[in-house]
Structure formats: structure tokens, C-alpha cells
Amino acid sequence: MKVFVVSVFCFMLSYSNAENNITKVKNLRCEYSTNPIGLDIADPRFSWTIESEQRGIIQISYQIIVSSSEERLSTNDGDVWNSGKVFSNASAGIVYCGPELKSRHRYFWKVVVSTNKGQTVESSEQAFFEMGLLKPEDWISGWIAYVPGMPGKVLYFKSTIHNPIPVKRARTYISGLGYYEMFINKKKVGNRVLEPAQSTYSKRVYYSTYDVTSCLTEGPNVVVVSVAPGWYGTPSLKIQLEIEYSDGSRKLVTSDNLRHVTTGPVVFSSLFDGEGYDARLETPELFKPDVPSRLMNQEWAWAHNTADPGDHMVSQLVEPINIVDTIVPSSISEPRPGIYVIDAG
């Protein structure tokens, strides 16, 4: 009897699960920034990215929807602008082509993308952009400075704002030449340094927009802006703080309201040599509410109107200068009384 041995090869057929078809539209940018405020570009540009776990995904069309409110946007009501379905794989630098945008208004937008796999994907986030002051007449405020008796000094401009009811919305449009820092109730507004950006002042002066809603409280709020000479030479300030209250009423604070001016503990400021700080010269009244009691003497003066550095105010959209690291001294010694040596390591 013959025995036949049959080898059976079992081919393992690998059946993978259906590919994950999750595709997302993310990283919505307007003028290449996330939710920018203070735009003064009449036709801003939009961009986004597509992320998918499925291979070979390609955008074949997009539709941008811009609405006046989040509620309208959630129902795809593009009451400001609806691009319609545009057959294109472009996802950067898409120019807004709707009606004229208005100063100070916030607009909400999203994008709907169609892919080569038959998918229709809506952006997973709702983005917004907010316009700044688009026209010269939007600027109610002018420039102030104080030249007599304080050449080369860092000047501190002060005002007290009384809010009788809660603040719903507040924006500050500000420029200080050469460089400025703004404080509300002793806290610095924003994290930028060496503002505004360098420019040829006769051609353009940059201003920044800050959302200061959370900085303002009911009752008195002390606003202080320190301005260093910088390249400009004479510390000058232009500021417009617009406040909307919970009952719909509004308040406008301009440079006229920050005419109380003094020097302070920063005795000199230089782009090349840093700054000198003398704590003995700190002014107790600087962050106290209301009018300084020693006005018009050696400590406090009254700022005056000054000529515009240039005719063109431009919203600063360049990347700001920020503090990226802090050096902690490894040791501090006092070799002689009053003389300290700081070892930065």
C-alpha cells in the first residue's frame, strides 16, 4: 500500500479592517494668524490644512463661509460672504471676495472641503478675525507728548477709568514712539516687548490691538503707559480704548485722558545698553486711582498735543518680539556694602 503525503499550504489571507476614513480640516488661519484681531487689510487671505489617516487624500474643492455671528455660522448662513463651491486644490492665500468689511467688527468663518474620495468635510473648528481701525476717521485720538524738562527720559502717562457696571468688551488701539509698555491695574497688557515694530515713521506708524476685556474691573482702573524715546527721540503716545458695557452703553478713552505724565524708576533706556532702574525713584501715586495730588510740580506734569509722526497708521501684523527665556542667577554676593555682584552662570 502506498501512502501519499499531501502538503497543504494555507495561505493566510490578511483582511485588514476598512481604512480609517477620518479626514479633518484644521489649522484655520486668516492672514496666516490664528484668530487675529486688529486687521486693517481690506481683503484678508484664508488658509487651512487637511489631515487624514487615509492615504492619497486630495482636496478637489472648497467652500468658505463667513458669517456675522457664531450662530449664523453654525447653520452655514454666510450672511457676510459665501464663496460657493470652488473647484481647486488650493488651501493657502485664498482671498476674501465679499462686501466691504467694517472697522472693529468680528467675523466668523469656516471652510467645507470635498476630496477625491468622495468625502465632504467641514472644518472641525470655527475661526474668527476681527478688523481694526480701517479708516483715518476711525481714529478719534491724537498724539500727546511732553518735551519741556524731561529730555531723554522714559515717560509714564496715566489715567483712571471708572467702570460703573461690568465690561462686556474692550479693545485698546495703541502706539507709543519710540517704544512703549501698557499696564492696567499694575499688570502688563500682552507679552510683547519693543513695541511698536520699527518703521520709517514719516511713511507709516504701527499700532497694536489688544483685547483688554479681562483686564478691566468694576470701579476704578488705573491705566499707565510707559514710553521710551527709542529711535524717535521724544516719547509720544497715541491710544484709543473703546469699552462696551453689559447694558450696551459705551465709553471712549483717548490720549486726552492720559495727560498726567511723570518720570519713574527707569532712568535711562537704550536699544544697545539696556535700561537703568532706580527703585528709589518709584512713584507711589503712579498706580493709585484718580488725579495725582502733586500735579504740575517736579514729579507730575501735563502732556500736550504734538504733531503726527506720519499720516498713515498701520496695524502691526508682523511677528512680535517676546521674552523667550529668563536667566536665574546662580549666586548674588555683596563684596562691599551696597555693591552687589550677580553671577548669571
Side-chain angles (χ1 to χ4, degrees):
M1 182 179 69
K2 295 182 178 179
V3 178
F4 296 91
V5 178
V6 179
S7 297
V8 179
F9 296 91
C10 295
F11 293 91
M12 302 294 295
L13 298 179
S14 175
Y15 291 96
S16 61
N17 292 329
E19 290 186 76
N20 194 334
N21 291 333
I22 297 177
T23 300
K24 296 181 179 180
V25 178
K26 303 178 65 177
N27 301 320
L28 271 62
R29 303 284 189 268
C30 180
E31 281 303 312
Y32 307 100
S33 298
T34 303
N35 298 335
I37 65 173
L39 287 180
D40 63 353
I41 297 174
D43 303 311
R45 294 163 293 182
F46 303 106
S47 61
W48 58 89
T49 60
I50 298 176
E51 295 182 6
S52 179
E53 296 181 9
Q54 187 177 5
R55 296 182 178 182
I57 289 291
I58 299 174
Q59 171 189 301
I60 61 173
S61 72
Y62 66 82
Q63 179 181 10
I64 299 174
I65 301 172
V66 182
S67 305
S68 58
S69 68
E70 291 181 281
E71 293 74 22
R72 286 182 178 273
L73 186 64
S74 64
T75 60
N76 292 338
D77 180 7
D79 60 322
V80 178
W81 180 54
N82 189 330
S83 70
K85 193 170 186 178
V86 179
F87 287 91
S88 170
N89 62 359
S91 60
I94 310 301
V95 179
Y96 169 83
C97 297
E100 181 180 3
L101 300 172
K102 298 179 181 180
S103 296
R104 306 177 180 86
H105 281 230
R106 174 172 289 192
Y107 300 94
F108 302 86
W109 72 283
K110 64 182 177 182
V111 62
V112 180
V113 167
S114 297
T115 74
N116 59 327
K117 301 293 185 179
Q119 300 166 314
T120 299
V121 185
E122 185 177 298
S123 55
S124 57
E125 57 197 76
Q126 291 188 355
F128 68 82
F129 61 96
E130 184 177 306
M131 307 308 292
L133 304 181
L134 302 178
K135 301 177 181 179
E137 54 266 29
D138 292 328
W139 283 99
I140 309 300
S141 185
W143 288 90
I144 58 173
Y146 186 79
V147 178
M150 300 182 186
K153 298 291 186 179
V154 175
L155 300 186
Y156 295 78
F157 299 84
K158 175 187 175 181
S159 180
T160 301
I161 302 171
H162 294 271
N163 293 321
I165 56 177
V167 174
K168 178 181 177 181
R169 180 181 185 272
R171 297 290 184 270
T172 297
Y173 309 96
I174 181 173
S175 182
L177 301 180
Y179 300 101
Y180 72 90
E181 288 185 315
M182 181 181 181
F183 301 86
I184 297 180
N185 299 325
K186 293 186 178 182
K187 294 182 179 180
K188 181 178 175 178
V189 175
N191 60 351
R192 303 178 178 185
V193 296
L194 295 178
E195 288 274 287
Q198 185 63 38
S199 65
T200 301
Y201 302 127
S202 60
K203 295 183 178 180
R204 67 181 61 85
V205 176
Y206 289 115
Y207 74 90
S208 294
T209 304
Y210 294 99
D211 182 350
V212 295
T213 307
S214 61
C215 301
L216 298 173
T217 62
E218 289 188 63
N221 294 266
V222 180
V223 179
V224 173
V225 182
S226 61
V227 187
W231 293 115
Y232 190 60
T234 300
S236 301
L237 174 65
K238 186 172 187 176
I239 180 173
Q240 192 162 305
L241 172 55
E242 301 180 359
I243 304 172
E244 180 183 350
Y245 294 107
S246 56
D247 64 352
S249 60
R250 298 173 181 271
K251 176 183 288 188
L252 176 64
V253 179
T254 69
S255 304
D256 288 339
N257 302 103
L258 278 88
R259 290 189 180 274
H260 300 132
V261 61
T262 186
T263 56
V266 180
V267 293
F268 75 86
S269 177
S270 169
L271 291 170
F272 300 104
D273 300 322
E275 65 180 28
Y277 190 94
D278 189 341
R280 298 170 298 177
L281 300 179
E282 291 182 351
T283 306
E285 287 184 306
L286 187 60
F287 291 101
K288 290 183 179 179
D290 299 320
V291 178
S293 60
R294 292 167 289 181
L295 188 63
M296 298 306 294
N297 59 17
Q298 292 183 348
E299 295 186 23
W300 287 93
W302 187 256
H304 55 263
N305 295 335
T306 187
D308 288 358
D311 295 331
H312 196 30
M313 298 291 293
V314 179
S315 180
Q316 180 173 317
L317 301 180
V318 299
E319 285 296 320
I321 301 174
N322 292 324
I323 297 174
V324 296
D325 194 12
T326 301
I327 298 175
V328 179
S330 57
S331 66
I332 301 177
S333 60
E334 188 178 9
R336 295 199 306 272
I339 302 297
Y340 296 88
V341 176
I342 301 175
D343 185 354

